[in-house]
Amino acid sequence: MATERKSEVVFEIKDLEKSFGDHEVLKGISMTVEKGEVVSIIGASGSGKSTFLRCLNLLETPSGGEILYRGENILDEKFDVRSYRTKVGMVFQQFNLYNNMSAIDNCVKPQMLVLRKSKAEATENALKYLEKVGMSEYVNARPDQLSGGQKQRVAIARSLAMDSEVILFDEPTSALDPEMVGEVLLVMKSLAESGLTMLVVTHEMQFAKDVSSRVVFMDGGVIAEDGTPDVIFGKPKNPRTKEFLRRVLNEDI
Amino acid sequence: MQFFVDIGNIISKYYLRLLSGLGYTMLIALIGTVIGLVIGLFMGIIRTIPESKKKSVRAVRKVIDFIITAYVEVFRGTPMMVQSMVIFWGFAFANGGQTLPLIPAGIFIVSINTGAYMTEIVRGGIISVDKGQFEGAYSVGMTHFQAMIHVIIPQVLKNILPSVANEFVINIKDTSVLNVIGVMELYYQAYKIQTMTYKTFQTFLIISVIYFAMTFTVTRILRLIEKKLTGKKDYVICGSQSSSDAEIRVGGGGRNGD
Ligand SMILES: Nc1ncnc2c1ncn2[C@@H]1O[C@H](COP(=O)(O)OP(=O)(O)OP(=O)(O)O)[C@@H](O)[C@H]1O
Ligand SMILES: [Mg+2]
C-alpha cells in the first residue's frame, strides 16, 4: 500500500435509460469508469450492450439518467458534443471507414476538419498510429481493397489519431473471419497495456478474461454483475452470469 | 434533288442562327443541370440533419420538410412549358410588366425544374449510402455539414452519376419548351428559319440531327467519365516511406477492366 494510485474518474454514469418507442432497452445503468481501465462488456444478444456504448458516444440520445464525463454532464444542451467525441472515440463492428478515402485520408481528414490541424501535422500523426496498428504498408489503399482485419486496424488508428483518451469498441472482431480476429485483438491488447481507457463490447471471452481489468455482465438492460475477470469467470455471484458463461464457453469448444 | 438543295441552302444561309441556337441550348441545359444538382444536394443535406432535442428546432424542420416535398411534387407534377409561362409572366405581373432577361430566365426555369428531380435522385443516392458512413463521420466529431461534404456526398455523386447524366440529356431536349417565352435556343431558331423559308420539314429535320448529335456525344462523354470514376482500383503498396523505387503496383478488386 505504499503507492496509492490516485484514481481519476473518467465516466460516471447514473441510472442511464434508453427506450425506442415503448421498448425499454436500458433500464437504469450506473457505473464509474476510471482512467486506464479496460472494461469488457459481455451479455446476451439484445441485452443492450451496443445501445449502451452508442449512448456514451451520443449516437443515441438517452431517455433518462446522467452521463458525466470528467464531471461534466454530456447530456446538457450546452455541452460541446463535437470536442467530446474527439476525446471519446468509437470503433464499430462494421468498421465504418470512409469508403471514398484511402486509409491515410481516413485518419488525416478528421484531424484536419475537427481538430483544425494542418495537413502535414495530421499526416505525421496519422502515420504514427497507422504504424502502431501495423498498417503502414497500406496507407494508400482504399477500404474496398483491405481485408476486414486491416480495415478494423485502420479504424482503430483513425480513432487514436484524434488523440482520444477513451475508445469505445462495439464488437470490433465480430464481423471478421476467424483468422483475422487475432491481429485486431493483438492491437487492442497493446493499447490496453499502453494505458488507454477502453470500453469493449465483446463476445471474445478470452480477451475479456486476459486483457480487461474489469468485466461487466449486462442482462435485460441492466448491469447484472460487475467485477474483476477473476471473479466473473471464476466464481460469479449472480446465477445469470454463471448461466450465460456456461452457455457461451460451451459454444466455444 | 430539290430536297438536298433546300437543306444545303438553309444551312449555308442560317448556320449562324443554328449555331447560336445550339450554343444557347447547351449553355442552358448544362448550367441548369449543374444548378439543379446543387439544389438537389442542398436539399439532401437539409433533409438528413439529425433529429434535434429541441422542440422548436423539430417544428422548424417539419415545416422545411413540407416545403421541400411540396416543391418536388409541384415541379414534377406540372409541364415545364407551363412552368415557364407561369414563372416568366408571374415575374412580369409582380413587377409592373417588367420581364426577366430571356437567357437568365431560361436558366432559372430549367434549374428549378431539374432541382425537383435531382432532389429525389439525391435522396435515393443518400439512402443507398450505408448508415455507418454517417456514424463513422459523427463519431470523430464532424458536423453534419462536414460529414455530408467530405464523406457522404462524394459517395452519393458516384452512385447517382448515371441519373445525373440522364437529366442532362433530358434537359438538352427539353430546353426546346423555352421557346414559349421566346428564349433563343435551337427550337426557337428553327421556328424562325421556318417562318422565313417555309421549309418546315427540312428545317426541323436539320435540328433533329443537331439535337441527336448533342445528346449522343454527351451520353458517350459521360459514360467515359463514369468508367474513369468507377475503374480506379489500383493502389500502391509502400515498401518504404521514403523511397519510391520500392513501390509495387497492385491491382485491387476484380472490377477493373470490364
Ligand atoms: N434504433 C433502434 N430502434 C429500435 N430498437 C432498437 C434500436 N437499436 C436497438 N434496438 C433494440 O434494442 C435492443 C438492444 O439492442 P442492442 O443492439 O443494444 O443489443 P446488443 O446487446 O448489442 O446485442 P448484440 O450482441 O446482438 O449486438 C434490441 O432488442 C434491439 O432490437
Ligand atoms: Mg451489439
Side-chain angles (χ1 to χ4, degrees):
Chain A
M1 296 290 131
T3 55
E4 193 187 320
R5 193 167 60 95
K6 206 176 152 205
S7 66
E8 204 180 319
V9 174
V10 177
F11 276 120
E12 204 177 338
I13 298 150
K14 297 178 193 162
D15 289 320
L16 183 66
E17 289 172 9
K18 173 69 187 176
S19 307
F20 295 102
D22 299 338
H23 185 21
E24 230 183 301
V25 175
L26 300 182
K27 302 172 185 164
I29 296 213
S30 300
M31 73 182 285
T32 302
V33 179
E34 287 176 14
K35 194 173 166 63
E37 274 195 293
V38 177
V39 183
S40 287
I41 300 168
I42 61 172
S45 180
S47 56
K49 307 179 299 291
S50 298
T51 306
F52 175 49
L53 272 204
R54 290 165 61 81
C55 283
L56 289 184
N57 193 258
L58 293 174
L59 285 175
E60 303 287 357
T61 310
S63 0
E66 273 185 4
I67 302 174
L68 303 184
Y69 172 73
R70 298 199 165 276
E72 262 188 284
N73 187 356
I74 72 170
L75 303 176
D76 201 280
E77 264 189 22
K78 276 170 262 154
F79 184 75
D80 183 355
V81 174
R82 295 185 53 216
S83 85
Y84 166 73
R85 281 178 170 156
T86 67
K87 293 178 205 130
V88 178
M90 180 118 182
V91 169
F92 302 86
Q93 181 175 351
Q94 297 297 339
F95 330 119
N96 296 352
L97 289 181
Y98 314 132
N99 289 331
N100 58 320
M101 297 182 200
S102 61
I104 181 89
D105 284 346
N106 261 278
C107 303
V108 168
K109 263 282 154 63
Q111 294 182 68
M112 291 172 66
L113 292 172
V114 183
L115 302 174
R116 304 259 160 239
K117 285 196 192 172
S118 72
K119 181 155 193 176
E121 202 185 343
T123 306
E124 193 188 321
N125 200 37
L127 285 172
K128 184 173 89 189
Y129 287 113
L130 282 167
E131 189 181 343
K132 190 166 185 169
V133 300
M135 287 297 293
S136 337
E137 280 178 38
Y138 299 91
V139 292
N140 292 319
R142 300 171 76 85
D144 60 358
Q145 298 166 326
L146 296 174
S147 74
Q150 291 172 328
K151 278 190 240 192
Q152 196 58 295
R153 285 187 282 149
V154 173
I156 292 172
R158 174 173 76 186
S159 193
L160 291 170
M162 302 304 285
D163 294 318
S164 43
E165 143 177 72
V166 182
I167 297 186
L168 312 170
F169 294 84
D170 189 5
E171 299 196 31
T173 58
S174 295
L176 302 180
D177 291 337
E179 67 268 26
M180 291 164 191
V181 171
E183 66 192 57
V184 172
L185 290 181
L186 216 61
V187 167
M188 290 173 60
K189 186 160 184 256
S190 85
L191 292 178
E193 282 158 2
S194 74
L196 181 74
T197 309
M198 296 161 66
L199 273 76
V200 187
V201 170
T202 186
H203 289 301
E204 294 291 329
M205 292 304 144
Q206 206 57 44
F207 177 88
K209 210 185 247 175
D210 299 343
V211 179
S212 48
S213 52
R214 185 171 152 200
V215 179
V216 167
F217 170 61
M218 277 183 69
D219 187 43
V222 296
I223 294 181
E225 192 160 356
D226 179 347
T228 62
D230 288 347
V231 171
I232 299 280
F233 290 100
K235 37 183 182 317
K237 295 185 186 80
N238 191 326
R240 312 255 340 186
T241 317
K242 214 175 278 179
E243 189 190 311
F244 170 76
L245 286 173
R246 193 173 54 228
R247 201 148 38 81
V248 294
L249 291 176
N250 278 346
E251 271 171 22
D252 278 356
I253 300 165
Chain B
M1 280 283 97
Q2 185 56 35
F3 173 77
F4 291 107
V5 176
D6 287 344
I7 297 261
N9 281 344
I10 291 171
I11 291 176
S12 62
K13 197 154 170 209
Y14 298 106
Y15 71 95
L16 278 179
R17 270 183 183 274
L18 291 169
L19 277 180
S20 102
L22 182 158
Y24 280 127
T25 287
M26 278 306 263
L27 181 82
I28 295 169
L30 183 63
I31 299 181
T33 307
V34 171
I35 297 180
L37 177 59
V38 172
I39 293 174
L41 292 173
F42 178 75
M43 299 295 185
I45 292 175
I46 301 217
R47 268 183 170 173
T48 49
I49 293 175
E51 284 273 335
S52 171
K53 275 175 272 180
K54 291 181 204 143
K55 269 225 170 79
S56 56
V57 180
R58 294 231 291 254
V60 171
R61 193 210 166 100
K62 273 226 170 89
V63 173
I64 291 175
D65 275 350
F66 175 77
I67 293 171
I68 295 177
T69 310
Y71 161 64
V72 171
E73 295 292 329
V74 168
F75 276 86
R76 295 204 317 174
T78 52
M80 188 157 81
M81 196 184 263
V82 175
Q83 291 163 17
S84 307
M85 292 299 268
V86 170
I87 290 171
F88 188 74
W89 293 109
F91 180 90
F93 177 77
N95 287 276
Q98 176 73 41
T99 55
L100 282 165
L102 286 170
I103 300 299
I107 291 175
F108 178 76
I109 290 160
V110 175
S111 302
I112 194 162
N113 176 277
T114 309
Y117 288 91
M118 290 289 191
T119 299
E120 284 307 284
I121 291 171
V122 169
R123 174 213 192 55
I126 291 175
I127 290 170
S128 72
V129 172
D130 178 23
K131 206 169 125 262
Q133 296 290 304
F134 285 92
E135 297 190 343
Y138 295 147
S139 75
V140 295
M142 285 192 210
T143 60
H144 174 66
F145 191 72
Q146 288 174 332
M148 290 304 286
I149 296 294
H150 296 277
V151 178
I152 308 300
I153 287 180
Q155 298 181 49
V156 169
L157 285 178
K158 209 169 127 182
N159 289 345
I160 67 173
L161 193 69
S163 312
V164 173
N166 193 38
E167 282 300 309
F168 183 32
V169 170
I170 288 174
N171 279 340
I172 291 174
K173 296 181 288 180
D174 283 5
T175 45
S176 58
V177 306
L178 295 173
N179 81 85
V180 292
I181 56 167
V183 176
M184 292 87 74
E185 38 66 50
L186 189 55
Y187 181 95
Y188 176 91
Q189 296 292 8
Y191 189 80
K192 283 276 135 135
I193 293 168
Q194 172 253 146
T195 59
M196 293 180 279
T197 60
Y198 302 105
K199 304 271 190 270
T200 309
F201 169 56
Q202 292 86 333
T203 309
F204 281 93
L205 190 64
I206 293 171
I207 70 158
S208 36
V209 171
I210 299 177
Y211 273 118
F212 182 74
M214 283 194 281
T215 54
F216 187 80
T217 316
V218 165
T219 312
R220 297 298 122 157
I221 292 174
L222 288 168
R223 212 166 278 171
L224 271 180
I225 295 175
E226 234 172 88
K227 258 206 174 139
K228 266 255 162 65
L229 280 181
T230 50
K232 229 170 55 189
K233 288 265 180 277
D234 283 4
Y235 69 99
V236 173
I237 284 196
C238 298
S240 141
Q241 224 85 115
S242 52
S243 106
S244 58
D245 300 355
E247 289 178 356
I248 320 162
R249 284 231 148 248
V250 175
R255 266 174 289 168
N256 49 336
D258 50 337

